[in-house]
Amino acid sequence: MVSGFQILDIQSQVGHALWQIQALEKTLIHFIVLGFKVSRGTDPIKAEEQFSVFGRFTLGRLICDIEKNTDTPEKLKKRLSSFLPKRNWLVHKSWSDHFQHLPVSERLSVYSNKVLQIGDEALELNKQFADLLEQKILAAGVSKSFLDQETNKLLAKWFAG
């Protein structure tokens, strides 16, 4: 029989995977807006409007925009596209599907591994798109030292509470 601790562990894994997906979505929005929709020197109000527009897009729509309107390497586009059904399963079906896995520890382990793999894949995609975004920003003439300073300011805000 599955314990309450195992259920909490699964819930934690699902939450972690969802957070990784949310971080990926935020990175993709920045990738599209800063990498392709605005250029250096764009009026900040116009840039914020673009962030607002793309911030309302679903992951599927962000992926479609990346596929059609960016120079993202084909292999990465395919990987991102193949991630969408996994994300959709986690968001829309993982809760109802978990009931069939609860009674048997081995099946629960398979379920748990699937959730962990989705979170890991979201994290890896996030890293790859963050690297591409950094390359775009640097190619636009923003210095690495400025980018590092802004990153440190943001991290300081986050960790200050």
Side-chain angles (χ1 to χ4, degrees), residues 9 25-26 37 56 62-64 80 83 87 92 98 108 122 127 133 145:
D9 192 38
E25 289 174 351
K26 186 66 81 172
K37 299 297 181 187
R56 292 189 295 269
L62 291 170
I63 291 170
C64 185
L80 186 60
F83 177 72
R87 176 265 183 204
H92 301 293
H98 91 280
L108 189 60
K127 288 177 184 178
L133 175 57
S145 63

Side-chain angles (χ1 to χ4, degrees), residues 59-72:
L59 180 59
R61 189 149 175 217
L62 291 170
I63 291 170
C64 185
D65 195 80
I66 288 170
E67 290 175 336
K68 291 180 180 178
N69 301 315
T70 73
D71 60 2
T72 303

Side-chain angles (χ1 to χ4, degrees), residues 143-156:
S143 73
K144 178 76 169 135
S145 63
F146 177 78
L147 197 54
D148 290 344
Q149 286 174 351
E150 293 302 306
T151 299
N152 289 335
K153 285 181 194 175
L154 182 59
L155 289 172

Side-chain angles (χ1 to χ4, degrees), residues 12 14-15 28 31 39 64 68 76-77 81 91 94 111 158:
S12 177
V14 169
L28 294 178
F31 176 74
S39 57
C64 185
K68 291 180 180 178
L76 189 53
K77 285 181 185 180
S81 291
V91 171
S94 65
Y111 177 89
W158 284 350

